[in-house]
Amino acid sequence: MEITRREVLGGIGGLALVVAATPTATPSAFTATVPWKYAKLDLGAVAERGYAAYSQGGCMFGAFEGVIGELRATVGSPYDAFPAAMMKYGKAGAAGWGTLCGALNGAAAAISLVAKPEVADALIHTLYTWYGETPLPNYAPKTPKFKIATSTANSPLCHVSVTRWCEATGLKALSPERADRCGQLTASVAKRTVELLNDMADGKTVAAPAVVAEVVTCLGCHGKGGVLENVHASRGNACSICHEPTGHPIALKK
Amino acid sequence: MEITRREVLGGIGGLALVVAATPTATPSAFTATVPWKYAKLDLGAVAERGYAAYSQGGCMFGAFEGVIGELRATVGSPYDAFPAAMMKYGKAGAAGWGTLCGALNGAAAAISLVAKPEVADALIHTLYTWYGETPLPNYAPKTPKFKIATSTANSPLCHVSVTRWCEATGLKALSPERADRCGQLTASVAKRTVELLNDMADGKTVAAPAVVAEVVTCLGCHGKGGVLENVHASRGNACSICHEPTGHPIALKK
């Protein structure tokens, strides 16, 4: 027996509100599968949303919310059902541990929600390579707390990225300027993420950059099939950000 | 006008299926807010599910799915609506970049979905401290591919964790044994995560461990208020995992 919504609404007035809220598919079947449908977003709106969200929940939440919050605002379902606040854990390199930059963690989570796995992998590699090579932040919010000078991290790690910025500016790691730097960096990462996703939506080929030459050289011995195959990482901005490239056994740089 | 489910089901037999599927709140209002309700889980079931999921989507997905998949199986809604496959991005330290161990990333994401932010922060700090100090993997699956020797990472980073295991075992970073080591480590992390979450559910106080003495000492100069406040990380297993602790300017160890 099949009953249309029109028959239901026409026949039982008192139930209209309840029945109107019934989805055409169960929520689980609709939302549990990735990728979710992406719609092109406005870069400036994403960056501003990411900057504002940083103040509410840190860098990972900021980058994720910049993208997914804008999809929630413009597309609605199923994005309105996603518990974006769960991404607050990634702040300061994951709960203060200084590992993966939270903006990069949140951006990767957003990418993985809206792109097929192989596309997501290429986009994340592209984003991380860009992050390490680019003077950041490169987006200035409409109402910034400070005017922020840039630095180049040469690493996706929070600890390295922040310390390099402190060295470049002479400012302190727990200063309000550094907090705002990370907010503007979060906005910059969210904006770059949506540039990549908009290209994807336009059907442009996602061409992930080649792994940088230095990393390829090191992996020649330390990667798959090398004489000392002891490194699992296949990508990076540089090995020499930590390791002294001349002389073996290698020393770690100051 | 208020209509109970019993009245609806009793009065309109043909609508029973539709009405029974109607949530009491809209899906978005129900699922977009954290924390989601946690129910105590069986440690062995979580570990086995995490081990199996590692083979399907890598370490971050494995740890997340170990916990959240078990909640999906035992609790159902709203966990059946979560797109767990989005967590595949974290493999090998995030898309092969060797940063935050994906098992730790996925575990933190799961924790943040089911715990209040301040509790999640303490649980993640507890988990990461344990990960660095404990010989892992410490859970052997029922049907492992290999018998795996342990190593102690002293770091939450994928690159460091894997290379230390290679050094401890003499095995290769891209070997099937190393892949299975990471699968068993994923199971170990998922199991430890649920030990912590079950304690939370039992109302036990979450007492995050103190930051280790060496890190506290270094932050005395490099942290908040120090003479060279250039480090944003507030937690870690050790600074000396990378930095030579004697002599300044510091050298990085080999």
Side-chain angles (χ1 to χ4, degrees):
Chain A
M1 176 184 178
E2 191 173 330
I3 299 179
T4 67
R5 175 177 290 186
R6 182 178 299 276
E7 287 168 343
V8 169
L9 292 177
I12 314 139
L15 276 174
L17 192 65
V18 173
V19 176
T22 304
T24 51
T26 62
S28 59
F30 187 40
T31 63
T33 305
V34 294
W36 287 6
K37 186 173 173 56
Y38 179 76
K40 285 178 71 177
L41 297 174
D42 179 80
L43 300 178
V46 166
E48 291 295 328
R49 186 182 289 271
Y51 183 65
Y54 170 84
S55 295
Q56 300 164 351
C59 46
M60 185 183 189
F61 174 71
F64 185 85
E65 175 68 6
V67 180
I68 302 304
E70 198 61 20
L71 284 167
R72 184 190 313 121
T74 58
V75 175
S77 176
Y79 294 99
D80 55 356
F82 194 97
M86 70 180 287
M87 299 302 175
K88 294 181 180 179
Y89 78 86
K91 63 182 179 296
W97 276 66
T99 71
L100 177 60
C101 165
L104 292 182
N105 205 358
I111 289 169
S112 298
L113 185 56
V114 302
K116 295 176 184 173
E118 65 277 15
V119 175
D121 184 75
L123 293 178
I124 294 167
H125 177 54
T126 302
L127 181 72
Y128 286 19
T129 301
W130 165 87
Y131 176 97
E133 296 175 349
T134 306
L136 295 176
N138 67 357
Y139 178 83
K142 290 176 181 171
T143 54
K145 294 183 176 68
F146 298 96
K147 179 172 168 58
I148 299 294
T150 65
S151 61
T152 304
N154 210 19
S155 168
L157 298 179
C158 165
H159 169 37
V160 177
S161 180
V162 168
T163 296
R164 295 224 150 204
W165 182 81
C166 293
E167 291 170 347
T169 63
L171 293 165
K172 295 184 176 184
L174 286 308
S175 64
E177 291 88 349
R178 198 280 312 154
D180 198 43
R181 171 266 184 187
C182 289
Q184 296 191 27
L185 179 142
T186 295
S188 305
V189 168
K191 176 171 175 280
R192 179 68 186 129
T193 299
V194 165
E195 287 176 355
L196 295 170
L197 291 173
N198 283 355
D199 282 352
M200 175 189 78
D202 283 338
K204 294 183 184 172
T205 303
V206 176
V211 177
V212 296
E214 179 192 300
V215 175
V216 172
T217 298
C218 294
L219 290 177
C221 290
H222 294 285
K224 182 70 174 174
V227 293
L228 184 53
E229 186 188 304
N230 64 349
V231 173
H232 186 223
S234 57
R235 295 161 164 175
N237 295 120
C239 299
S240 59
I241 187 72
C242 291
H243 299 282
E244 183 65 55
T246 57
H248 280 69
I250 50 174
L252 287 173
K253 294 164 72 178
K254 73 163 183 167
Chain B
M1 175 183 179
E2 191 174 332
I3 299 179
T4 67
R5 175 178 288 186
R6 183 177 299 275
E7 287 167 344
V8 170
L9 294 178
I12 314 139
L15 274 174
L17 192 64
V18 172
V19 177
T22 304
T24 51
T26 61
S28 58
F30 187 40
T31 63
T33 305
V34 294
W36 288 6
K37 186 172 172 56
Y38 179 75
K40 285 179 70 177
L41 297 175
D42 179 80
L43 301 178
V46 166
E48 290 295 327
R49 186 183 289 272
Y51 182 64
Y54 170 83
S55 295
Q56 299 163 354
C59 45
M60 184 182 189
F61 174 71
F64 186 85
E65 174 69 6
V67 180
I68 302 304
E70 197 61 19
L71 285 166
R72 185 190 313 118
T74 59
V75 175
S77 176
Y79 294 99
D80 55 356
F82 195 97
M86 69 180 287
M87 300 300 175
K88 293 181 180 178
Y89 77 87
K91 63 181 179 298
W97 276 66
T99 72
L100 177 59
C101 166
L104 291 182
N105 205 358
I111 289 169
S112 298
L113 184 57
V114 301
K116 294 176 184 172
E118 66 276 14
V119 174
D121 185 75
L123 292 178
I124 294 167
H125 177 55
T126 302
L127 181 72
Y128 286 19
T129 301
W130 165 87
Y131 176 98
E133 296 175 348
T134 306
L136 294 176
N138 68 358
Y139 178 82
K142 290 177 181 172
T143 55
K145 294 185 177 66
F146 298 96
K147 179 171 170 58
I148 299 294
T150 65
S151 61
T152 304
N154 211 18
S155 168
L157 297 179
C158 166
H159 169 37
V160 177
S161 181
V162 168
T163 296
R164 295 227 148 201
W165 183 81
C166 292
E167 290 170 347
T169 62
L171 293 165
K172 296 185 176 183
L174 286 307
S175 64
E177 291 87 350
R178 198 280 311 153
D180 197 44
R181 173 264 184 188
C182 289
Q184 296 191 27
L185 179 143
T186 295
S188 305
V189 168
K191 176 171 175 280
R192 179 70 184 127
T193 299
V194 165
E195 286 176 356
L196 295 170
L197 291 173
N198 283 355
D199 281 351
M200 174 189 78
D202 282 340
K204 294 184 183 172
T205 302
V206 176
V211 177
V212 297
E214 179 193 300
V215 174
V216 172
T217 298
C218 293
L219 290 176
C221 289
H222 294 286
K224 182 70 173 173
V227 295
L228 183 53
E229 185 187 305
N230 65 349
V231 173
H232 185 224
S234 57
R235 294 161 165 176
N237 295 118
C239 299
S240 60
I241 186 72
C242 291
H243 300 284
E244 183 65 54
T246 57
H248 280 69
I250 51 175
L252 286 172
K253 295 165 71 180
K254 75 161 183 169

